[in-house]
Every structure is written in C-alpha cells, then in structure tokens.
C-alpha cells in the first residue's frame, strides 16, 4: 500500500522536542495556536507575548517574534505592543497562576478596554512550574502543595471561572472555554480559537479562550488519568462553551 | 538643533517634559495619576493623540510600565511617568526592560517618603533611581534636570540615550521642578526619525528569523554572559557623564547638589560670592553614571566638599566614594516635604567653609 501523508508539522512549530511533561496539554495547545495563525494567514505579522510558568519557553516552540512579560503582566505588555503596532497580530499565552492570580488586574482591564488583542489562557488548576501550589482555579477538595488537605471554600474561596468573568465585560468581543481531552473537544477548541483570533483580525476587539488542561505531574497522575480528570472533575465546575460572541456567527 | 519655535513659552516643568517627549518622537505614553506629576498624563492625553500617537491611562503603574515594555520591544519610542510610590510599582518592569535591553523612558517626579509620605518636594528616591530599584544587577541612565528648559532638553536626550544603549533611562525631577512655571524655548531635533526601524524591533517575522526579547537565561553560563555584556554597557555609559560647574575654579569649598536643590544652591553661592566667600557648585546632571572622576580631580586640587540634598543623605555616599582616598564631604540635608530657600543654605555653607 502506498504511504499517504495526512499530517505535517506546520512551519511555525519549531522542529524540536518540548520540555513539557508527558501528557501535558501545553504542547497540544501550542499546536492549535500555530494552526489558527496559519488558518488566518497572520504568522508573518504576529507578535507573541510569552509569560511566566511552564509555557515561558513558548518562543522555543513557535517561530514567532516574541517578547517575554513579567508574571501576570502579559495583557499590559500586549496592550503596549498593539498600541505601538496596531497592524500586527498580537496574542498572549498565559497560565492560571499568571492570569487569574497576580495578573488579575491586567487581564480584566485589557479586556475591559477592548484592546484588539487575543489571549490564550491555559487553566490546569495548579501552579505547574513552581511545583504544584494552589492556583485561583484549584478545585474544591483538590490537593496542592499549599493546600495539602485539599482546597476548602472557607479558607481559600471558590475556583475562579475566568471565561465567564471575561465574557461578562462589555468590551470583550469573544470569550469561550474549551478542552483538548478528546477529539470532539479538540475540534471545538480549534474553532473557538480561530474565532477569538478572527475577532482581532476583523478589528472586533478582545478575544479570550480558556483551555482546560492537564498537568499530570502536579496532579500526581498518569497522562491517561490526568486526561480523564479534565472531563470527570474539571468540566463539571468549568463548563465548556461560549460566554460572549459578538461575531454573530453560529456557535 | 532647530529653533523651530524660537518663541518662548511659559510652562510647568511637567509640561516641559511632556513637550520634550513629543519633540523626541515619543509615540506611546502610558501613565497612572499621582501627584505631583499629573500634568504629564493630562497633557499627553490630548497632545500625543493629536500627534497621531497613543495614550493609555493604565489600571496601575505596574501596567503602565509593562505597556512601555511592550511598545519599546517593537522599537517604538515610549514613556511613562510617575512619582515615588508609583515608581516603586514600576520597578518590576524596569528590571525586566534592563534585563531584556529595552529602551523605555521613565520619569520620576519625586515626592516625600517613605511610604505614602507627602506630595511635597524631595530627593528621597536618589538611591532607588541610581541603584536600580528593582531586582538584579542593572543600572539606568539617570538624568536630573534643574529647570524647565533642562527638563525639556534632557527628555529629548533621554530617548536618544535609551535607544543608543538599549537601556531604560530615567528623568529624576521633583515637585519643585514639576510644578514651577517658567519660560522655555522648545526645539525639535534635526534628522530625527522616530519610526526608523531598529534592527531588533518586533514587527512579525516576515522573511527573517524570529526575534525575541527576554530576560530569562537558564542555561549554564548564559546569565553570566548576559550580565557581563550588561556591565560593559554600563561602563560605556560613562561617556555620557554630564554636570554643571559654577564658580568652581578658585573655590575653596565645592558644594555638590543636584536638580532643584542644585539650582537653589546656586543662588546662595551667588550671594556668598558677593561677600567674597570662595564657594562654588558642581551640579551632577547625570546622577548615574556619577561624575566621580571630576570630583576626585577637584579633591586632588585640595578643595573641600559639602553635599546638599533634599533627603537625609543619599548622593553624599557617591560623593564620598569618589573622593574617599583624598578627603571627605560634609553633608546638609533638608527635610522632605519642605520647600528650601537659598537663605536656608547660607549657614551650612559658611559652616563648611570655615571647616
Ligand atoms: C513576580 C513573580 N512571582 C512569582 C514567580 C514564580 N512563578 C513562576 S511560574 C509561577 C506559576 C505559574 O503557574 P501558571 O500560570 O498556572 O502556569 P503553569 O506553570 O501551570 O503552566 C510562579 C508563581 C515569578 N516568576 N514572578
Ligand atoms: S508541570 Fe504540569 S504544566 Fe508544567 S509541563 Fe509538566 S505537566 Fe505541563
């Protein structure tokens, strides 16, 4: 039988192994980002804002002009970049500790100003890089190194739902939550990301996509268990869906 | 230099800085209100937009400084301004800019501290400005104007230096400079093309390998290499050392004072000279890099020193470092928040002169 090439690595994805742990979803999400940039034909005019956390090396994996932002400040850096170069495609890539904790003010105000930028938000309910501390998105009962008995509402509050909050802001053009734990979810994620990015291309304004992601290492699970946890534990608290869509297109 | 508007205008020091930035081709201004520098964001909110640039009132000083980081990563001339507590918040981004070698311009119109302090004039941020302020081994170029005209001129210079060295540059003023109205003659630099492409600017990697601005260097030896490179740059910045000499040649006592205090001291010295007292002034204009060699030279000539500052003693440490192998410096500090007059300095200068 003749071999048929059905899939290749897009050029914007660097030809090298990543440092991500086996089963980590960062790599999959990187690839979706690359594909969305290619789909929209903006690779050559993209400026990526890297942040702090396991994804800090995004510039090693995506062949894009990149600037690294201090912890949580990527939306402010993105604002500066986009204001300086309004004709470029600008996106930030941020974890939950980065975006929903230290960077809460920056993300809220960037969205609320309706900055014409896109934000990729990777929610793995934990601080990955620093070794599994509690994040603002850590689920109730979930153990982390700084809530060893499991997160409890009385002491630590409830896990924050960012896609809903961002969707509630007037100036947001698009906000959705997606997952990459199954082919079905992956397809929907691809669509959502494309829509969020298209908002910027069409000058509609701020686009936000929250990815539910696995962190097998800090969840102390096998890659398969971690992948399953996304559906069994995360999605019930963080429902998938679109929370704001000003494009008028069908969901 | 082009005297495009040879006419004099009557403006506050803060406005002089804003106008200087526009003349220097500043395209993006990001700020957050704090007294006594509010005239800068207020002026910019209209003027920079009228000039086709961008103004954002950020949600915080942290965000404003990071917006500057983003804009300068694109090779665009960008500025933020604040006053003491706000500058503390900007330090994170300033350290990242220094580490990533990005040329932001930061204005600090110093007020009294520590903490919330007061909104009156002070030079209490000297350490913070000249020692970096943020984390890590880095330096800023720090320019300390003493008049509206100098504020205008040095702001233009700040952008040039920032791009020349790819390093953050700070304008260190105070509430006296910022709030005082006086005539200045605006000018615009010749041959300035603020949109000229920098070989390192981010603009999308079309037809070339991607560019990266980062301050993370994890591989063994990599950070050491970056720090050696930075230290070489800081050494090279000594070429920019600038200061004003006033009646120094035959002086027995040299007063060292910067910014507004330098200017006020000049009046005192004029008065004392009329009485035949042999006193002079050196006013550092770059407070980093500091004119150490010049001071050492004066010390070698046998002159004595008095450092006057609007704080409890900060620059005096640099003066002492410069002249330590030869002599020492007296110190007179006026309390932050008060407005000193030339008369206030008469007694301390006479005392130092009599030794
Ligand atoms: C100002 C500051 N505070 C703390 C840190 C340490 N730090 C590095 S990564 C990180 C957590 C990142 O977690 P998250 O954003 O969830 O990303 P992940 O690693 O899970 O992908 C923290 C707290 C830092 N780099 N800077
Ligand atoms: S620690 Fe978690 S988030 Fe970080 S690379 Fe490993 S699996 Fe991914």
């Amino acid at each position: 039988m003749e071999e048929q090439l059905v899939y290749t690595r897009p050029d914007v994805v660097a030809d090298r192994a990543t440092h991500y742990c086996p089963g980590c979803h960062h790599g999959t999400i990187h690839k979706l980002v690359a594909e969305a940039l290619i789909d929209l034909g903006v690779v050559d005019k993209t400026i990526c804002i890297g942040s702090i956390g396991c994804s800090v090396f995004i510039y090693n994996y995506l062949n894009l002009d990149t600037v690294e932002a201090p912890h949580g400040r990527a939306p402010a850096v993105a604002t500066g970049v986009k204001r300086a170069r309004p004709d470029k495609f600008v996106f930030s890539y941020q974890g939950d500790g980065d975006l929903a904790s230290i960077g809460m003010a920056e993300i809220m105000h960037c969205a609320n100003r309706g900055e014409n930028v896109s934000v990729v938000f990777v929610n793995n309910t934990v601080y990955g890089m620093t070794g599994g501390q509690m994040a603002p998105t850590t689920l109730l009962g979930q153990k982390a190194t700084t809530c060893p008995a499991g997160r409890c509402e009385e002491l630590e509050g409830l896990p924050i739902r960012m896609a809903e909050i961002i969707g509630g802001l007037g100036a947001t053009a698009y906000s959705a939550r997606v997952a990459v734990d199954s082919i079905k979810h992956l397809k929907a994620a691809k669509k959502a990301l494309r829509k969020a990015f298209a908002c910027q291309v069409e000058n509609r304004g701020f686009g936000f996509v929250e990815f539910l992601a696995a962190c097998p290492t800090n969840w102390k699970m096998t890659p398969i268990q971690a992948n399953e946890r996304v559906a069994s534990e995360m999605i019930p608290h963080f429902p998938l869906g679109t929370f704001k869509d000003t494009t008028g297109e069908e969901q | 230099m082009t005297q495009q508007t040879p006419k004099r205008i009557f403006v506050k020091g803060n406005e002089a800085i804003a106008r200087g930035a526009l003349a220097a081709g500043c395209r993006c201004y990001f700020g957050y209100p704090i007294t006594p520098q509010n005239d800068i964001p207020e002026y910019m909110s209209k003027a920079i937009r009228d000039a086709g640039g961008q103004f954002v009132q950020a949600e915080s000083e942290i965000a404003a400084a990071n917006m500057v980081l983003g804009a300068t990563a694109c090779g665009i001339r960008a500025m933020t301004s604040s006053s003491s507590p706000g500058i503390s918040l900007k330090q994170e981004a300033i350290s990242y800019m220094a580490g990533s070698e990005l040329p932001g311009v930061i204005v600090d119109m110093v007020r009294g501290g520590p903490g919330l302090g007061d909104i009156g004039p002070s030079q209490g941020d000297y350490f913070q400005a000249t020692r970096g302020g943020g984390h890590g081994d880095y330096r800023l170029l720090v320019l300390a104007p003493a008049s509206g005209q100098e504020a205008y001129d040095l702001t233009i210079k700040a952008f040039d230096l920032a791009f020349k060295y790819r390093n953050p540059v700070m304008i260190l003023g105070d509430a006296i400079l910022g709030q005082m109205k006086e005539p200045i003659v605006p000018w615009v630099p010749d041959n300035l093309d603020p949109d000229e492409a920098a070989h390192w600017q981010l603009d999308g990697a079309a037809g070339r390998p991607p560019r990266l601005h980062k301050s993370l260097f994890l591989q063994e030896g990599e950070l050491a290499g970056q720090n050696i490179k930075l230290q070489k740059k800081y050494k090279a910045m000594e070429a920019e050392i600038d200061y004003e000499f006033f009646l120094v040649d035959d002086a027995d006592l040299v007063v060292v004072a910067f910014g507004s205090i330098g200017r006020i001291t000049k009046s005192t010295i004029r008065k004392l000279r009329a009485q035949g007292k042999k006193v002079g002034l050196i006013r550092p204009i770059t407070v980093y890099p500091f004119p150490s060699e010049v001071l050492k030279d004066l010390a070698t000539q046998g002159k004595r020193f008095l450092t006057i500052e609007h704080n409890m003693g900060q620059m005096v440490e640099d003066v002492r470092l410069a002249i330590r192998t030869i002599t020492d410096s007296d110190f007179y500090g006026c309390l932050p928040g008060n407005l000193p007059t030339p008369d206030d300095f008469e007694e301390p200068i006479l005392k130092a002169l009599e030794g």
Side-chain angles (χ1 to χ4, degrees):
Chain A
M1 205 178 91
E2 214 179 302
E3 273 182 33
Q4 206 190 340
L5 189 67
V6 291
Y7 179 76
T8 54
R9 176 183 53 79
D11 273 353
V12 67
V13 178
D15 185 9
R16 64 192 297 180
T18 73
H19 72 291
Y20 298 119
C21 309
C24 176
H25 283 168
H26 268 305
T28 313
I29 300 166
H30 281 12
K31 202 187 75 188
L32 290 184
V33 168
E35 286 172 356
L37 296 175
I38 293 166
D39 277 1
L40 291 164
V42 294
V43 170
D44 282 355
K45 57 173 214 169
T46 293
I47 301 175
C48 167
I49 320 298
S51 60
I52 305 294
C54 282
S55 61
V56 71
F57 294 115
I58 189 166
Y59 47 77
N60 285 339
Y61 311 130
L62 296 184
N63 293 320
L64 300 168
D65 268 12
T66 303
V67 54
E68 186 186 82
H71 197 23
R73 320 295 175 212
V77 174
T79 300
V81 168
K82 189 72 182 188
R83 298 290 183 130
R85 299 216 177 267
D87 56 324
K88 302 300 172 191
F89 185 87
V90 180
F91 78 95
S92 72
Y93 188 99
Q94 305 177 253
D96 45 79
D98 190 80
L99 180 139
S101 195
I102 187 169
M104 186 59 119
E106 283 77 9
I107 189 65
M108 295 291 285
H109 290 278
C110 181
N112 200 53
R113 278 191 304 269
E115 294 293 340
N116 195 28
V117 299
S118 316
V119 173
V120 179
F121 171 47
V122 181
N123 173 5
N124 57 16
T125 71
V126 81
Y127 284 40
M129 181 180 245
T130 41
Q133 295 85 6
M134 188 184 71
T137 48
T138 298
L139 293 173
L140 286 182
Q142 181 184 340
K143 287 184 180 158
T145 58
T146 48
C147 54
R151 181 179 188 156
C152 88
E153 186 178 347
E154 292 70 37
L155 292 178
E156 284 119 4
L158 290 168
I160 290 178
R161 295 187 181 100
M162 286 310 300
E164 287 86 336
I165 294 173
I166 297 296
L169 296 173
T172 302
Y174 184 82
S175 179
R177 183 181 294 113
V178 300
V180 293
D181 62 313
S182 66
I183 297 297
K184 182 173 156 239
H185 287 162
L186 199 114
K187 282 186 171 161
K190 211 170 159 166
K191 248 184 153 165
L193 194 60
R194 202 182 183 287
K195 262 194 168 183
F197 281 8
C199 281
Q200 183 181 158
V201 175
E202 293 157 10
N203 282 317
R204 288 174 188 282
F206 191 81
F208 183 87
V209 180
E210 173 174 345
F211 284 84
L212 299 184
C215 175
T217 303
N218 288 300
W219 296 354
K220 303 200 185 343
M221 288 178 176
T222 65
I224 291 173
Q225 286 170 334
N227 197 61
E228 284 167 1
R229 178 184 181 252
V230 173
S232 63
E233 293 179 35
M234 287 176 79
I235 294 176
H237 182 80
F238 296 114
L240 304 184
T242 309
F243 302 98
K244 178 93 174 261
D245 187 354
T246 59
T247 63
E249 289 170 35
E250 240 179 87
Q251 305 291 306
Chain B
M1 131 173 175
T2 310
Q3 301 282 336
Q4 208 192 38
T5 320
K7 231 176 53 204
R8 302 204 305 173
I9 55 169
F10 194 57
V11 294
K12 277 188 181 182
N14 281 336
E15 189 179 324
I17 288 173
R19 285 174 178 265
L22 289 171
C26 178
R27 287 270 183 273
C28 290
Y29 172 88
F30 309 110
Y32 188 84
I34 183 170
T35 308
Q37 61 82 55
N38 291 325
D39 315 278
I40 301 178
E42 283 169 5
Y43 185 85
M44 282 300 199
S45 66
K46 182 170 188 313
I48 201 168
R49 283 176 176 159
D50 288 350
Q54 294 278 340
F55 167 86
V56 179
Q57 179 170 324
E59 61 271 29
S60 68
E61 287 88 348
I62 298 173
N66 280 291
M67 289 175 192
V68 170
L69 185 154
T72 59
C74 300
I76 294 287
R77 294 182 164 220
M79 182 172 97
T80 185
S81 63
S82 191
S83 180
S84 310
I87 294 294
S88 296
L89 290 177
K90 291 188 193 293
Q91 294 297 343
E92 178 194 53
I94 294 171
S95 168
Y96 273 74
M97 276 188 259
S100 315
E101 299 192 70
L102 295 175
V105 172
I106 304 108
V107 180
D108 182 3
M109 302 309 274
V110 183
R111 59 189 242 177
L116 197 51
D118 72 8
I119 57 170
S122 159
Q123 294 183 327
D125 293 4
Y126 180 89
F127 279 157
Q128 190 190 41
T130 58
R131 266 60 182 168
H135 56 288
D137 265 337
Y138 75 91
R139 298 290 184 171
L140 307 179
L141 274 147
V142 187
L143 312 177
S147 68
Q149 185 67 54
E150 211 175 50
Y152 185 91
D153 299 350
L154 290 182
T155 305
I156 294 176
K157 193 169 178 179
F159 281 94
D160 290 341
L161 293 177
F163 273 72
K164 179 172 173 188
Y165 292 99
R166 278 183 65 185
N167 202 68
V169 177
M170 181 175 276
I171 303 284
L172 187 66
D174 63 12
I176 302 174
L177 177 75
Q179 294 304 316
M180 192 169 53
K181 252 188 161 174
E182 59 181 330
I184 67 165
V185 180
W187 55 281
V188 285
D190 282 335
N191 306 324
L192 176 85
D193 179 8
D195 299 318
E196 189 186 352
H199 65 88
W200 46 265
Q201 72 182 24
L202 303 187
D203 54 6
R208 59 159 171 79
R211 290 173 184 157
L212 169 63
H213 295 306
K214 61 156 185 168
S215 56
L216 179 68
F217 300 94
L218 280 186
Q219 261 164 40
E220 203 179 325
E222 212 189 354
L223 179 64
Q226 171 71 356
N227 273 327
I228 289 167
K229 183 180 168 212
L230 292 179
Q231 294 305 322
K232 276 195 190 140
K233 178 161 84 176
Y234 303 149
K235 186 80 193 149
M237 285 178 346
E238 286 175 13
E240 311 301 335
I241 286 173
D242 195 8
Y243 50 85
E244 181 193 355
F245 262 8
F246 181 63
L247 306 175
V248 165
D249 283 354
D250 66 336
D252 295 328
L253 179 80
V254 176
V255 178
V256 192
F258 76 97
S260 300
I261 297 300
R263 183 169 174 186
I264 293 168
T265 309
K266 214 167 161 180
S267 304
T268 322
I269 286 172
R270 250 190 223 110
K271 184 172 170 193
L272 293 177
R273 276 279 174 174
Q275 299 165 16
K277 311 282 184 199
K278 287 192 158 182
V279 288
L281 168 77
I282 173 165
R283 178 173 66 85
I285 293 172
T286 50
V287 284
Y288 192 89
F290 193 71
S292 306
E293 287 303 317
V294 181
L295 286 175
K296 192 173 174 186
D297 222 45
L298 295 174
T300 315
Q301 294 166 31
K303 300 190 192 298
R304 280 175 293 119
F305 294 87
L306 167 68
T307 306
I308 301 184
E309 292 177 80
H310 207 166
N311 59 42
M312 296 295 94
Q314 298 189 18
M315 182 179 70
V316 66
E317 293 192 3
D318 283 337
V319 175
R320 286 182 169 140
L321 266 177
I323 61 177
R324 70 190 182 283
T325 53
I326 304 151
T327 181
D328 196 6
S329 169
D330 284 350
F331 174 71
Y332 179 76
C334 38
L335 289 161
N338 299 345
L339 188 67
T341 67
D343 291 347
D344 294 335
F345 298 149
E346 229 178 284
E347 203 185 296
I349 291 177
L350 285 173
K351 218 171 115 193
L353 187 64
E354 282 146 22

